[in-house]
Amino acid sequence: MDTRLLKQFLTLSDTLHFGKASDLCHLSPSALSRSIKQLEETLGVSLFNRDNRHVELTAEGRIFQDYARDTLSQWDSLRNTLLCEAQELQGEISVYCSVTASYSFLYDLLRQFRSHHPKIGIKLHTGDPAAAVSQVLKGEEDLAIAARPDTLPPGLAFRSIGLSPLVFIAPVDDPLITPLLEPELDQADWSQVPMILSERGLARERLDAWFRQKAIKPNIYAQVSGNEAIVSMVSLGLGVGVVPRIVLDNSPLANRVKMLTVTPHLAAYDVGVCVLERKLRSPLIQAFWSQIQT
């Protein structure tokens, strides 16, 4: 069964850029264009609206995108079910996580998994941890390392691999920030403290609740995606931020910031691996899932 056309279509639907997609597919842009045209002629509809500047999925293209993902997933599941008895699982799974998680939690998982299943390739994508759960729910990634949401979405399986406290951080001995936090931290006027916040995600939700509990309107200096960026901006003296402790422990800028002991404490991150329950029918994904030890 030749699934190359479906894979090429999905690559273009993810990138929405013929140049980038053709590089990822190891094709020339003209060859990729011919493949898409072949699909469109077979289906009798346009899958993309495109001009010299923009590429976007049509309504029919979005429907076909779901079909293509499901078809490839089912094909991989069938193929590896047939290979399972021979213990020769092979193929590829995609994993999403933050940069910090890629060399902390993920390191041990991949080392163990690779030793047991050397023929299964890993497609690793890194980005904003706040997007991890949604990447799995949308079917764009097979698995993700993420903080467990307060309410687990229906159809999502989660397996914990560790806890990481959420901590307030401030620049070390900054002439503008330090006076706002002294002499007693509990008596600080937090409405005057510039804050570096996550744009979205669990940390932002918990920090917003913390400010509401104190009946304080925060002084938001910047909103960023990615915890590493928060550490960087705090180290420059631009404000106070909140990050998971594991991010700080692995940051090259850790000596330029200090943790603050604030009350009430923010609830820790329950870090783990999440996957759609229906995808656990895939022998490849089940192999990865079964090795995770809580």
Side-chain angles (χ1 to χ4, degrees):
M1 182 174 178
D2 191 348
T3 59
R4 286 177 296 178
L5 284 181
L6 293 181
K7 292 177 179 178
Q8 291 166 15
F9 164 78
L10 285 177
T11 301
L12 181 58
S13 71
D14 289 339
T15 62
L16 296 178
H17 191 286
F18 270 89
K20 293 179 181 177
S22 61
D23 287 342
L24 291 171
C25 294
H26 306 292
L27 295 171
S28 67
S30 59
L32 178 60
S33 182
R34 288 194 297 271
S35 293
I36 299 303
K37 185 177 180 180
Q38 179 183 342
L39 269 178
E40 291 176 328
E41 289 175 349
T42 300
L43 295 168
V45 296
S46 295
L47 299 174
F48 295 93
N49 291 320
R50 48 197 184 271
D51 56 31
N52 291 333
R53 293 187 177 182
H54 299 97
V55 178
E56 63 179 9
L57 283 165
T58 62
E60 295 80 5
R62 288 191 290 273
I63 294 172
F64 189 71
Q65 186 183 42
D66 291 337
Y67 164 81
R69 285 198 178 113
D70 287 343
T71 299
L72 288 177
S73 177
Q74 291 177 30
W75 168 244
D76 285 341
S77 178
L78 172 63
R79 184 165 59 94
N80 284 288
T81 297
L82 298 175
L83 290 170
C84 193
E85 291 186 4
Q87 298 181 345
E88 292 179 348
L89 289 177
Q90 55 185 307
E92 187 177 73
I93 59 177
S94 63
V95 179
Y96 181 94
C97 65
S98 68
V99 173
T100 296
S102 70
Y103 50 75
S104 53
F105 294 110
L106 188 61
Y107 177 82
D108 288 333
L109 288 174
L110 288 186
R111 182 175 59 177
Q112 179 181 351
F113 183 71
R114 188 66 175 166
S115 66
H116 289 97
H117 303 285
K119 293 185 179 181
I120 300 179
I122 302 293
K123 185 187 293 182
L124 178 63
H125 300 123
T126 59
D128 183 1
V133 172
S134 65
Q135 291 290 101
V136 170
L137 291 175
K138 290 186 294 184
E140 295 182 2
E141 304 287 353
D142 294 321
L143 304 115
I145 295 180
R148 182 188 177 99
D150 290 330
T151 302
L152 205 62
L156 188 73
F158 184 94
R159 187 163 287 179
S160 178
I161 54 177
L163 294 175
S164 181
L166 278 174
V167 296
F168 283 74
I169 57 172
V172 175
D173 298 328
D174 184 84
L176 298 179
I177 303 299
T178 300
L180 297 175
L181 304 172
E182 293 179 345
E184 295 294 335
L185 187 57
D186 288 339
Q187 298 176 13
D189 184 357
W190 282 95
S191 65
Q192 299 301 311
V193 178
M195 299 296 301
I196 313 295
L197 306 181
S198 298
E199 289 180 316
R200 53 180 176 157
L202 193 58
R204 178 60 183 268
E205 293 169 7
R206 290 180 178 172
L207 188 55
D208 285 346
W210 188 86
F211 277 114
R212 286 196 300 270
Q213 183 177 353
K214 289 181 171 288
I216 295 171
K217 181 179 180 181
N219 173 20
I220 301 176
Y221 175 79
Q223 301 181 71
V224 301
S225 62
N227 292 306
E228 293 83 8
I230 294 178
V231 178
S232 178
M233 295 187 75
V234 170
S235 72
L236 292 170
L238 301 179
V240 171
V242 170
V243 296
R245 174 67 183 268
I246 191 170
V247 173
L248 187 60
D249 290 343
N250 287 278
S251 173
L253 301 172
N255 63 340
R256 299 185 185 181
V257 302
K258 60 183 178 181
M259 287 189 293
L260 304 176
T261 303
V262 301
T263 54
H265 299 299
L266 297 177
Y269 265 9
D270 182 3
V271 182
V273 179
C274 60
V275 62
L276 288 174
E277 291 176 348
R278 61 179 176 82
K279 283 203 169 189
L280 289 174
R281 294 193 295 266
S282 164
L284 273 72
I285 296 174
Q286 181 58 238
F288 190 96
W289 184 254
S290 63
Q291 72 160 19
I292 301 171
Q293 298 182 0
T294 302

